[in-house]
């Protein structure tokens, strides 16, 4: 079946996109915290955020001409020592480093989400090593928090293969600039309203077959063939593809 959108339409759609990442101001001001390991927490969280392709970190001292989309605030609380019992003497030191992340939408200065993190760290060396372990162990939850609360959506620009009422291949406006990789599985969603609130309902999934530069990829539809094609024909402007940063094996090893 012939392509349903021309190359000219694809270029026009890309040109209309305001920017290709969430621009995020990270508040890393540790002055006045008075707590141990605050700097280590900030460095670890910012390091994790830098791995997320759809975030552009601007820093707390950003003075550029463009405004950010969100601000992430990091608040660190006092370390909590966890008692070591006689029944569990494998580690001599246990502790938790509690901290909270909050996300502020800068367009209206609304706090859209907050979450606390306090994984237990363990060490047979010293309390500082246990604290570092606590901070590392919380990072996968930080990633999930960002994926859930700051989702990033691309557009379905083209149904490149279809048969009858089924879509088999798409061209989407997500590429290497936001961390898309070959083999990655993404969800195709559609805008919907419930009780006066906007949400995105899942229609199906696609698998990236080829990343064609920074702003686009070709992918194979693996689920929801009929729903995706129907939505593309009827309301293409409401069809979105959500990308999410995955925690890779190397990242998991860092939490051990």
């Amino acid at each position: 079946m012939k392509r349903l959108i021309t190359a000219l339409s694809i270029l026009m759609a890309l040109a209309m996109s305001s920017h290709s990442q969430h621009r995020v101001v990270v508040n890393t001001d540790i002055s006045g915290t008075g707590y141990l390991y605050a700097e280590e927490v900030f460095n670890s969280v910012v390091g994790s955020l830098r791995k997320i392709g759809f975030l552009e970190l601007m820093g707390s001292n950003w003075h550029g001409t463009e405004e950010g989309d969100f601000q992430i605030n990091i608040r660190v609380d006092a370390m909590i020592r966890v008692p070591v019992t006689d029944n569990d003497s494998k580690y001599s030191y246990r502790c938790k480093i509690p901290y909270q992340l909050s996300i502020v939408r800068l367009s209206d200065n609304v706090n859209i989400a907050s979450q606390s993190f306090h994984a237990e760290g363990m060490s047979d060396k010293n309390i500082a090593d246990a604290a570092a372990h606590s901070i590392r162990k919380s990072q996968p939850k930080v990633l999930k928090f960002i994926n859930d609360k700051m989702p990033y959506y691309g557009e379905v620009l083209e149904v490149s293969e279809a048969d009858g009422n089924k879509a088999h291949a798409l061209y989407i406006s997500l590429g290497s600039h936001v961390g898309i990789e070959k083999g990655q599985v993404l969800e195709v969603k559609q805008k919907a309203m419930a009780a006066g609130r906007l949400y995105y309902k899942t229609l199906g999934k696609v698998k990236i077959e080829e990343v064609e530069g920074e702003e686009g990829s070709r992918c194979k539809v693996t689920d929801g063939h009929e729903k995706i094609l129907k939505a593309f024909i009827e309301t293409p402007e409401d069809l979105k593809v959500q990308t999410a940063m995955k925690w890779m094996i190397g990242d998991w090893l860092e939490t051990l």
Side-chain angles (χ1 to χ4, degrees):
M1 181 177 180
K2 66 180 181 180
R3 292 176 178 176
L4 302 179
I5 288 187
T6 66
L8 178 60
S9 297
I10 294 173
L11 293 174
M12 290 177 61
L14 288 173
M16 292 174 63
S17 176
S18 57
H19 50 83
S20 57
Q21 291 172 299
H22 287 324
R23 294 172 298 199
V24 179
V25 178
V26 183
N27 183 1
T28 57
D29 182 9
I30 65 174
S31 60
T33 60
Y35 295 123
L36 292 172
Y37 309 114
E39 187 172 359
E40 287 86 344
V41 171
F42 287 129
N43 290 339
S44 183
V45 170
V46 171
S48 293
L49 297 178
R50 290 190 186 282
K51 297 178 182 179
I52 302 176
F54 57 83
L55 299 185
E56 178 187 355
L57 301 192
M58 302 165 69
S60 58
N61 60 345
W62 173 258
H63 296 294
T65 57
E66 294 183 342
E67 295 183 357
D69 302 305
F70 301 94
Q71 177 169 309
I72 297 179
N73 299 313
I74 309 172
R75 191 194 74 196
V76 184
D77 296 324
M79 179 180 68
I80 300 173
R81 289 179 179 265
V82 179
V84 177
T85 65
D86 294 337
N87 296 328
D88 187 12
S89 58
K90 182 178 179 181
Y91 299 100
S92 302
Y93 305 91
R94 291 175 180 267
C95 72
K96 295 180 181 181
I97 307 295
Y99 62 93
Q100 184 183 80
L101 300 186
S102 60
I103 302 172
V104 178
R105 185 172 57 227
L106 293 176
S107 61
D108 52 10
N109 205 35
V110 171
N111 189 326
I112 61 172
S114 297
Q115 185 171 323
S116 296
F117 305 87
H118 44 76
E120 181 180 319
M122 300 158 285
S123 175
D124 57 1
K125 298 178 181 178
N126 51 54
I127 194 65
D129 192 55
H133 186 218
S134 169
I135 297 168
R136 290 197 306 270
K137 285 184 65 176
S138 67
Q139 295 313 290
K141 291 185 178 180
V142 170
L143 179 63
K144 184 178 187 304
F145 174 66
I146 297 299
N147 281 332
D148 291 345
K149 304 304 180 182
M150 295 175 60
Y152 187 85
Y153 297 103
E155 311 291 333
V156 176
L157 300 177
E158 178 186 79
V159 175
S160 52
E161 292 182 25
D163 181 16
N165 65 343
K166 297 181 179 181
H168 294 293
L170 309 177
Y171 185 81
I172 63 175
S173 66
L174 296 171
S176 60
H177 195 49
V178 292
I180 298 299
E181 297 180 352
K182 184 176 181 178
Q184 191 173 357
V185 176
L186 309 177
E187 290 189 337
V188 180
K189 300 193 173 188
Q190 184 180 38
K191 287 184 179 179
M193 298 293 293
R197 293 191 176 188
L198 173 68
Y199 75 102
Y200 290 87
K201 63 179 180 180
T202 301
L203 300 182
K205 295 181 179 182
V206 295
K207 184 176 182 180
I208 302 297
E209 292 198 316
E210 195 66 40
V211 179
E212 298 190 347
E214 292 188 349
E215 305 292 346
S217 298
R218 298 202 176 274
C219 50
K220 178 182 180 181
V221 180
T222 60
D223 181 60
H225 303 73
E226 297 92 342
K227 292 180 180 179
I228 291 172
L229 183 59
K230 184 175 185 294
F232 182 79
I233 293 173
E234 295 179 354
T235 55
E237 67 279 4
D238 291 340
L239 202 57
K240 305 293 180 181
V241 183
Q242 182 179 350
T243 182
M245 175 67 186
K246 300 298 183 182
W247 202 253
M248 307 304 290
I249 184 64
D251 299 314
W252 279 112
L253 290 175
E254 292 180 5
T255 68
L256 299 178

